[in-house]
Structures are given as C-alpha cells and as structure tokens.
Amino acid sequence: MSAHSYSDKELFRLISEGDENAFRKLFHTYVPQLRPLAQHITKTPAVAEDIIQETFLRLWISRDKLAAIENPRSWLLKIVFHQSFSYLRRQTVHYKAMDIIAEGQPPEGLLNSTEEAMAYTAMTKLIAEAVTRLPPQAKKIYLLSREKGMKIQEIAAALSLSPNTVKNSLVRSLQSIRKYLEASGHFLPFLILWLLEL
C-alpha cells in the first residue's frame, strides 16, 4: 500500500513514527487548502506563507502527539486559524508598544515591580545603543519611523526614496537591533519582541 492511498489519520500516524514521506505527502496535500485561509485573515501573502511553514514545523516537532488526533484536517485548520489571528494580535500590540517606547514611559500598570521597571529602562537604553550603530541612512529612516511616527510612504517622500527601500531598511535595522540585544545576553521580553517586528 503506497503512502498516496493513506487517509489523513493514517498519515498522521506515520508522521508520529517519523515517516518523512508521509509528512511531505501531507504538506503537499494541505498547503493549497490552508494558504487561502491564512491569506484571507492576514491579507498578506508573505505572512500567510510564514504561517503555513510554522504550522508544519510545529506539526513535525510535536509529531509524537499526532496519532491521538481524530480529525487531522480540522486540527490543521484550527492551527492556521489560531496562528493567523495571533499574527493580527501581535501587530496590534506592536503598534501600541511603539507608542509606549516613543513616549519614553510604559503605561501605568504595565510594569508590576521595580525589577521590571529597571529591565525596561535597561532594554530601552540597549535599543538606543543599537540604533547609534546603524549606518547613517538606516539610522535616519529608523528614527523618522520610531521617534517621529512617520509612515513608510511619508519617509520615502521626505528622503526621496522608494517605499520598498524604506521598508527594507527598517527590516534590516530591526534585525540588527534584535541581534545586538541578543548578543548583549538579554532574553527579549514580549513587549520588546513585538517592538522589534514590522
């Protein structure tokens, strides 16, 4: 009996035993079904692709639990649905976090102890240090975005650059800042992780 004739439940059982062929079969079967759902929710094809990859990565990592799942299709749809809405929530919190950092103070009640307040201060200081290390153009774009609150289109117009150039510069700057923080030995709290995402 070939893998092509297996039911989804059988494929899950085979994957739970480490069968890579069954995993590939499931992947190629379900990506065309799951991609439209992720795109519909996130409205961003690139993000939808990331969500699909993350879904199957999680599936493989947690493969020992798959044999107990009765309805694989429903299970996969729920994961993609959850991942897509988690992305939207992160985007919302990201913009709130940007406002917090721009104002220089977290909202009342966000930090529940002196230790958390000190960690917040140290993290913002590290971010400022990382920004000073950016190339001049990247630093200018980052500061216009983060401190002036300008949108990508506005920065592009102000600096006579294309919106794609501005966006790519911001992506590289955020990656550079994240690496700087990690190299400093800091595990990034959720607020800063969201801050460092576009």
Side-chain angles (χ1 to χ4, degrees):
M1 192 175 191
S2 73
H4 289 281
S5 60
Y6 288 154
S7 68
D8 290 347
K9 189 155 173 49
E10 276 296 304
L11 286 174
F12 262 39
R13 182 185 62 75
L14 290 168
I15 294 167
S16 75
E17 297 168 359
D19 189 323
E20 293 182 12
N21 287 329
F23 178 79
R24 280 193 287 272
K25 167 67 176 168
L26 191 82
F27 181 87
H28 291 300
T29 299
Y30 273 97
V31 166
Q33 299 179 46
L34 299 173
R35 185 185 286 121
L37 173 63
Q39 286 188 7
H40 177 72
I41 296 171
T42 65
K43 311 297 185 193
T44 311
V47 170
E49 289 301 322
D50 287 345
I51 286 169
I52 299 301
Q53 296 292 331
E54 177 71 16
T55 296
F56 281 92
L57 176 63
R58 288 186 178 198
L59 181 146
W60 181 254
I61 290 171
S62 306
R63 60 188 178 277
D64 58 315
K65 302 180 179 73
L66 298 182
I69 294 168
E70 290 299 322
N71 190 333
R73 183 175 185 276
S74 175
W75 186 81
L76 284 167
L77 286 169
K78 279 180 187 174
I79 292 210
V80 171
F81 191 82
H82 173 75
Q83 291 277 93
S84 299
F85 275 99
S86 290
Y87 163 78
L88 294 180
R89 281 195 298 273
R90 285 198 305 274
Q91 288 299 97
T92 301
V93 175
H94 159 70
Y95 290 119
K96 287 180 182 174
M98 291 310 309
D99 291 341
I100 290 165
I101 298 297
E103 291 165 7
Q105 289 293 331
E108 195 173 338
L110 179 66
L111 303 181
N112 299 318
S113 69
T114 303
E115 186 179 338
E116 287 178 356
M118 288 173 66
Y120 176 88
T121 301
M123 193 65 69
T124 53
K125 184 180 175 185
L126 274 172
I127 290 173
E129 287 175 11
V131 170
T132 65
R133 294 166 176 262
L134 294 173
Q137 173 97 317
K139 180 180 175 184
K140 184 184 293 185
I141 290 171
Y142 179 88
L143 292 175
L144 287 174
S145 170
R146 293 330 191 220
E147 294 190 355
K148 303 292 185 187
M150 292 172 68
K151 294 185 169 117
I152 287 174
Q153 297 280 0
E154 294 171 333
I155 298 170
L159 300 180
S160 300
L161 299 169
S162 75
N164 274 342
T165 299
V166 172
K167 184 175 181 180
N168 291 336
S169 174
L170 283 171
V171 168
R172 285 193 299 272
S173 295
L174 293 172
Q175 288 171 344
S176 173
I177 293 167
R178 181 186 280 128
K179 285 177 184 173
Y180 182 79
L181 293 175
E182 290 170 351
S184 300
H186 285 263
F187 293 102
L188 308 185
F190 74 93
L191 180 66
I192 304 302
L193 276 173
W194 277 318
L195 165 67
L196 295 180
E197 291 178 358
L198 274 176

